[in-house]
Amino acid sequence: MRPDIRDAVLEDLPEIIEMVRVSTASALPSLSFDPEVTHDVVEAGILDQNTLVAVAEDDEGLCGYVIGVINLCWFGNDRVASDWMVYAENRAKGWLGYRLLSRFVDWAKENDARLINTLNLSGIPDDGFCRGLERLGYKRAGSLIQNVIEGD
């Protein structure tokens, strides 16, 4: 079954938190994960009109999510949308990651974003990733460069 995508509800929090744990361990391994902080952030996002928390659901339960936010531009009154994470479980069918990101783009446009940002932390080579996103209107704008500070 091709998963359905819908806005998240508070009852989805336990499954979303587990998917966030899995996805951040892969995409952001240098950062800690705290389920209580995640609960509070995702709960606030579900309740905030400037944040999108959408989930994908198949016969087995939730199998993906997208979280993104709209903020004011740093130097003016335009609105800028940035996704925090897009995740699709391996069992998910039907280009789910792309469909979740498409849902985010549609939401950002509906909410008057003038700029929509995303980044690739998936392990998919940038050339293929960017070609797919060009269908959604994205254009390559630079590089993400990280400086990971090792802690105790």
Side-chain angles (χ1 to χ4, degrees):
M1 168 187 150
R2 181 176 158 156
D4 291 325
I5 298 173
R6 61 172 172 79
D7 289 343
V9 295
L10 294 176
E11 292 77 20
D12 295 326
L13 276 167
E15 288 181 272
I16 294 171
I17 291 166
E18 178 57 20
M19 287 189 295
V20 170
R21 184 191 66 74
V22 170
S23 60
T24 57
S26 172
L28 303 165
S30 61
L31 298 179
S32 64
F33 171 80
D34 183 319
E36 292 176 16
V37 170
T38 302
H39 178 281
D40 293 347
V41 167
V42 175
E43 179 181 54
I46 290 171
L47 299 173
D48 180 4
Q49 68 181 25
N50 288 313
T51 303
L52 171 69
V53 182
V55 293
E57 188 170 27
D58 63 12
D59 291 337
E60 296 179 44
L62 298 187
C63 58
Y65 73 90
V66 59
I67 301 174
V69 65
I70 294 179
N71 293 299
L72 285 179
C73 173
W74 310 275
F75 308 113
N77 293 319
D78 291 323
R79 293 167 55 85
V80 177
S82 300
D83 70 85
W84 289 351
M85 185 74 74
V86 177
Y87 171 73
E89 291 188 357
N90 290 335
R91 76 172 195 265
K93 305 291 184 213
W95 289 71
L96 183 55
Y98 178 88
R99 290 178 49 228
L100 286 163
L101 195 54
S102 178
R103 170 71 175 94
F104 170 70
V105 169
D106 291 345
W107 171 83
K109 289 177 179 177
E110 291 165 7
N111 286 278
D112 301 320
R114 293 280 318 266
L115 178 67
I116 304 172
N117 292 316
T118 193
L119 51 92
N120 180 15
L121 297 175
S122 70
I124 298 170
D126 275 345
D127 287 340
F129 186 83
C130 290
R131 274 194 308 275
L133 294 186
E134 287 171 358
R135 294 177 172 176
L136 296 174
Y138 286 93
K139 292 183 174 67
R140 191 183 302 243
S143 300
L144 171 68
I145 309 298
Q146 293 181 330
N147 184 351
V148 177
I149 309 303
E150 299 299 327
D152 295 330

